């Protein structure tokens, strides 16, 4: 409380408000150039994306010790259904000679399939930030003036990098434009003001620039890993939380402007009262994200600090820059509905007052019915399948997948992603004896002569359970070796995701529960709130799976969805319940329990609903991304936020609070006493 008073005095002082504005202008001037370089720090592929300490990660780390260790294969498939002709062979040979300048090493002649209908050319490329550019040169060369009837496709690691690069080209700017448009629409409907909507939007833009700059600097100087798609999640998170916090502050400021003649004093009171729930919300999301530091999966581990940086950026803007701007601009910023000192708030009878009265009539029946709705939606998740194959990594079928299919049809085993075995001595004989192994390559010695690397082609596709079983058998057959790449990487990633779910989810629940207990000074209320948020998560998961399966045509959920969806749903979903219940607590302390619950719902209903629409919109934008995982995260979080906003927070939580009575605040003081100072009734603002 002392901190919030000092912050309020600093941000709204008659002289300091201008100083704060100038400081933020300077920060933005410094941040913008660095923020613009964030895309340069995004990595196409990295060992940082693999599970920490896994065998597949060690194999990747040992790659530079072998000749051509940094090479990524660009496999070109030439297929003619009627059989390869001499002209086709000549074309493949001409491509081999022409691509010598692009390759990182010698290119072997094209290998023919046993059925005589395919050729495979392996073009080694340097696996660095320019991989997709080199792959594009290969694709352009081999597909130029292709002979009629000859299918030519680029696949392998280089082909995959090119497909992802093409899918993401110029996408971040499009996502940002769509996000701004959606948020603007919600704010215009909320405030019905031609000016006021700009302030939350400006705050979100400033937060995003500062957050992007900090993330870029950490990537450049602290080796922070940034994968494809992380910047899109950061955009959604920053725009969502910054706008939400701004909406809450604006609602409190509007209330206080009617009670205070001096707008500086009104902002001081508003900021002091809004600080507790806003800071608690930011702490919940930040600490929830930082729980990902306990993860072993590289993407999960890196997303934690990146997301926390975005949330802290939004908090800093809303707690300092936005109050200063509001005080500087004055009351006219609310035009045409300018709140004047002494104005009577809008009369009761708004939508949230009516909802409150209906909930209060039969609270137990209401929360039981609401819970039944959540349970029915959650039932949709009973038949969920997890584990997307490479074919559905992108929402459309990429060229590398088509090439992979062609090679699999005409060559034994999977040629595009072999398993690699690194050992101190040759293990060829042991590998050949393992069931599921189609072919064992020639052992290759490391540059220092201490290690041996052997490529193993499996009979089953790398994404299949059969391939994973083969990897387990290989590891049992050569226990002193490291087995990675291909199906081994897929197995290690699946195991790492299972570990992260077991570890991170309980941590997140514990952190959120602790913060709610501290803020609400109770145990029953936090437990009920968390239970409702978890229930809305499973309901959103069930509804999302039905959409993915029957509307989007996805055969399964990405293995990362369960953890990412839970994290964002719980950390962000608790926000709105936190805003509601903290305001209810404030009102209950000044009136009886029933009046406090209904008044808290009436006072927060409009602003929290608008905030929920904003957050659902920002995450829903991820649905236009080409990456299936991002689409699934966006749809799941958007559905979950809408459920939490309009069913859990507006109906189930107030019903639970009314049904529990003062036991809702047990064992805090509010559960045991009648308030001494009762605030006179005042119409609710909707």
């Amino acid at each position: 409380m002392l901190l919030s008073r000092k912050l309020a005095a600093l941000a709204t002082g008659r002289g300091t408000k201008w100083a704060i504005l100038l400081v933020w202008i300077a920060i933005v001037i410094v941040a913008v150039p660095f923020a613009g370089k964030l895309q340069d720090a995004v990595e196409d592929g990295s060992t940082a994306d693999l599970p920490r300490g896994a065998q597949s990660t060690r194999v990747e780390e040992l790659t530079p010790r072998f000749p051509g260790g940094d090479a990524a294969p660009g496999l070109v498939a030439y297929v003619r259904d009627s059989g390869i002709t001499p002209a086709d062979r000549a074309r493949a040979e001409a491509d081999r000679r022409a691509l010598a300048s692009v390759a990182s090493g010698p290119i072997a002649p094209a290998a023919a399939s046993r059925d005589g209908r395919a050729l495979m050319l392996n073009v080694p490329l340097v696996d660095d930030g320019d991989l997709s550019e080199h792959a594009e040169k290969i694709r352009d060369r081999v597909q130029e003036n292709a002979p009629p009837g000859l299918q030519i496709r680029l696949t392998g690691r280089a082909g995959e990098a090119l497909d992802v690069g093409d899918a993401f080209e110029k996408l971040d700017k499009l996502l940002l434009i769509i996000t701004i448009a959606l948020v603007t629409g919600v704010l215009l409907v909320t405030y019905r003001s031609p000016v006021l909507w700009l302030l939350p939007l400006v705050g979100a833009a400033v937060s995003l620039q500062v957050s992007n700059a900090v993330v870029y600097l950490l990537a450049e100087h602290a080796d922070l890993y940034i994968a494809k798609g992380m910047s899109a999640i950061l955009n959604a998170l920053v725009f969502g939380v910054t706008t939400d916090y701004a909406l809450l502050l604006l609602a409190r400021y509007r209330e206080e402007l009617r009670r205070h003649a001096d707008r500086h004093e009104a902002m001081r009171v508003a900021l002091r009262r809004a600080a507790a729930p806003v800071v608690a919300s930011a702490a919940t999301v930040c600490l929830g994200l930082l729980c990902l530091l306990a993860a072993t999966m590289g993407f999960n581990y890196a997303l934690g600090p990146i997301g926390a940086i975005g949330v802290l950026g939004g908090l800093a803007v809303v707690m300092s820059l936005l109050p200063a701007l509001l005080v500087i601009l004055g009351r006219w910023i609310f035009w045409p509905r300018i709140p004047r000192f002494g104005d009577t708030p809008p009369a009761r009878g708004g939508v949230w007052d009516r909802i409150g009265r209906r909930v209060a009539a039969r609270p137990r029946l209401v929360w039981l019915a609401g819970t039944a709705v959540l349970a029915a939606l959650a039932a949709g998740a009973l038949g969920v399948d997890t584990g997307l194959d490479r074919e559905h990594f992108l929402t459309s079928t990429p060229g590398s997948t088509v090439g992979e299919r062609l090679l699999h049809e005409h060559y034994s085993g999977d040629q595009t992603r072999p398993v690699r075995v690194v050992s101190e001595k040759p293990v060829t004989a042991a590998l050949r004896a393992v069931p599921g192994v189609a072919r064992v390559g020639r052992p290759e010695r490391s540059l220092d002569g201490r290690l041996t690397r052997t490529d193993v082609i499996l009979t089953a596709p790398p994404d299949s359970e059969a391939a994973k079983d083969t990897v387990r058998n290989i590891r049992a057959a050569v226990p002193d070796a490291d087995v990675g790449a291909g199906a081994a990487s897929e197995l290690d990633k699946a195991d790492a995701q299972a570990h992260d779910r077991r570890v991170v989810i309980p941590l997140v629940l514990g952190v959120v529960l602790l913060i709610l207990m501290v803020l609400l000074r109770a145990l029953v209320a936090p437990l009920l709130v968390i239970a409702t948020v978890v229930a809305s998560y499973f309901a959103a998961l069930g509804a999302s799976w039905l959409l993915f399966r029957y509307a989007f045509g996805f055969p399964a959920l990405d293995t990362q969805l369960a953890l990412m969806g839970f994290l964002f749903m719980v950390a962000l979903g608790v926000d709105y319940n936190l805003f509601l219940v903290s305001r209810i607590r404030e009102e209950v302390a000044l009136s009886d329990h029933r009046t406090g619950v209904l008044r808290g719902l009436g006072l927060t209903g409009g602003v929290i609903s608008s905030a929920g629409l904003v957050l659902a919109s920002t995450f829903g934008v991820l649905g236009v991304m080409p990456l299936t995982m991002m689409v699934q995260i966006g749809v799941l979080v958007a559905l979950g936020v809408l459920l939490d906003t309009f069913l859990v927070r507006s109906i189930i939580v107030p019903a639970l609070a009314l049904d529990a009575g003062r036991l809702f605040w047990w064992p805090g003081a509010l559960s045991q006493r009648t308030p001494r100072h009762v605030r006179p009734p005042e119409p609710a603002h909707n």
Side-chain angles (χ1 to χ4, degrees):
M1 185 65 73
L2 179 61
L3 180 61
S4 63
R5 286 198 182 100
K6 291 183 177 179
L7 181 64
L10 179 65
T12 61
R14 297 183 182 277
T16 55
K17 61 180 184 285
W18 291 103
I20 289 175
L21 179 61
L22 292 175
V23 168
W24 273 107
I25 291 174
I27 290 174
V28 171
I29 291 173
V30 173
V32 166
F34 293 112
K37 298 179 181 179
L38 181 60
Q39 286 306 310
D40 297 337
V42 175
E43 300 183 40
D44 287 331
S46 171
T47 55
D49 191 36
L50 296 172
R52 293 181 294 162
Q55 287 193 35
S56 55
T57 307
R58 291 198 294 271
V59 168
E60 289 294 325
E61 292 171 345
L62 292 170
T63 296
R65 296 178 60 176
F66 291 87
D70 58 350
L75 302 179
V76 184
Y78 301 83
V79 177
R80 186 181 292 275
D81 293 335
S82 59
I84 293 295
T85 66
D88 297 337
R89 294 179 185 277
R91 171 57 187 265
E93 179 60 23
D95 288 342
R96 184 179 77 89
R97 292 194 299 267
L99 294 172
S101 59
V102 180
S104 62
I107 306 175
S113 63
R114 291 184 178 181
D115 61 11
R117 292 186 292 173
L119 296 171
M120 181 175 63
L121 189 67
N122 188 343
V123 183
L125 297 174
V126 177
D127 191 4
D128 57 14
D130 297 324
L131 176 59
S132 60
E133 295 180 13
H134 296 318
E136 185 176 15
K137 293 178 181 178
I138 295 178
R139 183 186 63 184
D140 293 345
R141 161 64 198 185
V142 300
Q143 293 186 348
E144 183 180 5
N145 300 321
L150 182 65
Q151 298 182 69
I152 305 178
R153 296 288 182 178
L154 174 65
T155 186
R157 194 186 305 176
E160 293 171 4
L162 177 59
D163 288 335
V164 174
D166 286 346
F168 277 90
E169 186 177 6
K170 299 180 181 178
L171 185 64
D172 284 328
K173 291 183 179 179
L174 175 63
L175 288 174
L176 190 58
I177 291 172
I178 296 174
T179 300
I180 292 173
L182 288 174
V183 173
T184 298
V186 174
L187 293 176
L188 282 171
V189 172
T190 300
Y191 291 120
R192 300 172 216 168
S193 167
V195 182
L196 185 59
W197 63 273
L198 282 169
L199 290 186
L201 207 60
V202 168
V206 170
S207 303
L208 187 60
Q209 291 298 309
V210 173
S211 300
N212 284 347
V214 173
V215 170
Y216 168 76
L217 290 172
L218 288 175
E220 287 295 304
H221 303 289
D223 296 326
L224 180 65
Y225 170 57
I226 307 175
K228 290 281 188 182
M230 279 190 181
S231 60
I233 292 180
L234 183 62
N235 288 351
L237 188 61
V238 170
F239 259 85
V241 299
T242 304
T243 307
D244 284 0
Y245 300 159
L247 287 170
L248 188 67
L249 177 62
L250 283 167
R252 294 305 295 252
Y253 182 46
R254 188 197 291 269
E255 286 183 43
E256 298 305 326
L257 283 173
R258 295 190 179 98
R259 298 191 181 110
H260 301 275
D262 184 359
R263 66 180 187 274
H264 297 82
E265 180 61 25
M267 177 55 76
R268 272 194 289 272
V269 176
L271 190 58
R272 190 166 64 244
R273 291 180 174 173
V278 169
V279 171
S281 168
T284 301
V285 181
C286 283
L287 293 176
L289 286 165
L290 290 177
C291 288
L292 289 173
L293 293 176
T296 58
M297 193 68 191
F299 183 95
N300 299 342
Y301 181 84
L303 183 60
I306 289 175
I309 289 168
V311 174
L312 290 176
L315 177 66
V317 166
V318 173
M319 290 289 101
S320 57
L321 175 61
L322 184 59
L325 283 173
L326 285 167
V327 173
I328 289 171
L329 293 172
R331 296 173 185 262
W332 72 268
I333 197 68
F334 289 91
W335 186 87
R337 297 188 298 172
I338 301 175
R340 306 289 185 183
F341 173 58
D343 281 356
T344 302
R348 281 190 177 276
V351 60
W352 296 106
D353 290 311
R354 291 196 297 271
I355 289 174
R357 287 196 296 270
R358 291 180 181 179
V359 169
R362 304 187 71 178
R364 182 166 301 177
L365 179 63
V366 167
W367 72 258
L368 285 174
T371 303
V373 171
L374 295 179
L377 291 174
L382 294 177
V384 67
D385 294 322
T386 58
L388 282 171
D389 53 24
R390 179 62 60 174
E391 183 175 343
H392 295 89
F393 177 69
L394 298 176
T395 54
S396 58
T397 303
S400 62
T401 297
V402 177
E404 186 174 328
R405 289 178 189 165
L406 292 173
L407 291 180
H408 193 66
E409 290 173 3
H410 299 284
Y411 293 85
S412 61
D414 186 86
Q415 304 290 324
T416 60
R417 288 178 284 164
V419 170
R420 285 187 162 172
V421 181
V422 177
S423 59
E424 294 183 354
K425 57 184 179 181
V427 291
T428 303
L431 293 173
R432 286 174 177 163
V434 176
V437 171
R439 181 170 60 84
V440 178
R442 180 178 299 175
E444 182 181 26
R445 299 297 294 179
S446 61
L447 295 172
D448 57 12
R450 297 180 178 179
L451 298 174
T452 297
R453 182 175 67 184
T454 307
D455 284 358
V456 181
I457 304 298
L458 307 185
T459 57
D463 301 311
S464 65
E465 287 301 319
K468 293 175 183 176
D469 288 339
T470 302
V471 170
R472 294 186 183 98
N473 292 334
I474 291 174
R475 286 175 172 171
V478 287
D480 296 330
D482 286 323
V483 182
S489 292
E490 299 300 326
L491 175 61
D492 288 342
K493 288 179 181 179
D495 290 344
Q497 291 290 356
H499 165 273
D500 292 351
R501 289 193 295 270
R502 291 193 304 270
V503 173
V504 175
I505 287 177
L507 277 177
V508 172
L509 288 175
V511 165
V512 172
L513 178 61
L514 183 60
I515 292 175
L516 287 174
M517 289 171 58
V518 171
L519 181 68
L520 302 178
R521 302 170 202 171
L523 178 60
V524 173
L527 288 173
L528 290 176
V529 166
I530 284 188
T532 59
V533 173
V534 172
S536 67
Y537 163 72
F538 283 106
L541 184 64
S544 298
W545 167 241
L546 296 177
L547 283 175
F548 297 148
R549 189 71 184 89
Y550 299 106
F552 290 80
F554 298 150
L557 299 181
D558 189 273
T559 54
Q560 288 185 280
L561 183 67
L563 177 59
M564 292 291 102
F566 183 87
L567 176 66
F568 287 121
M569 277 286 301
V570 172
L572 296 174
V574 163
D575 276 6
Y576 304 131
N577 289 282
L578 193 152
F579 295 159
L580 168 68
V581 179
S582 63
R583 186 60 187 262
I584 288 176
R585 187 184 190 284
E586 181 181 331
E587 297 301 325
V588 167
L590 299 169
S591 62
D592 64 274
H593 178 76
R594 184 180 186 278
T595 301
V597 171
L598 297 181
R599 183 175 173 78
L601 176 61
L603 287 168
T604 61
V607 63
I608 294 179
S609 299
S610 298
L613 288 173
V614 167
L615 191 61
S617 298
T618 56
F619 271 89
V621 170
L622 297 180
V624 306
M625 294 189 70
L627 201 63
T628 303
M629 180 191 73
M630 294 298 173
V631 173
Q632 292 183 343
I633 289 176
V635 171
L636 173 62
V637 176
L639 276 177
V641 168
L642 292 176
L643 275 174
D644 194 72
T645 301
F646 294 103
L647 176 59
V648 174
R649 193 273 313 156
S650 61
I651 296 176
I652 296 179
V653 171
L656 284 169
L658 289 168
D659 192 24
R662 286 197 171 270
L663 180 63
F664 191 69
W665 308 107
W666 186 88
L670 286 181
S671 66
Q672 302 168 358
R673 66 177 178 84
T674 301
R676 297 177 182 177
H677 305 287
V678 179
R679 175 189 292 170
E682 185 177 290
H685 171 65
N686 291 284

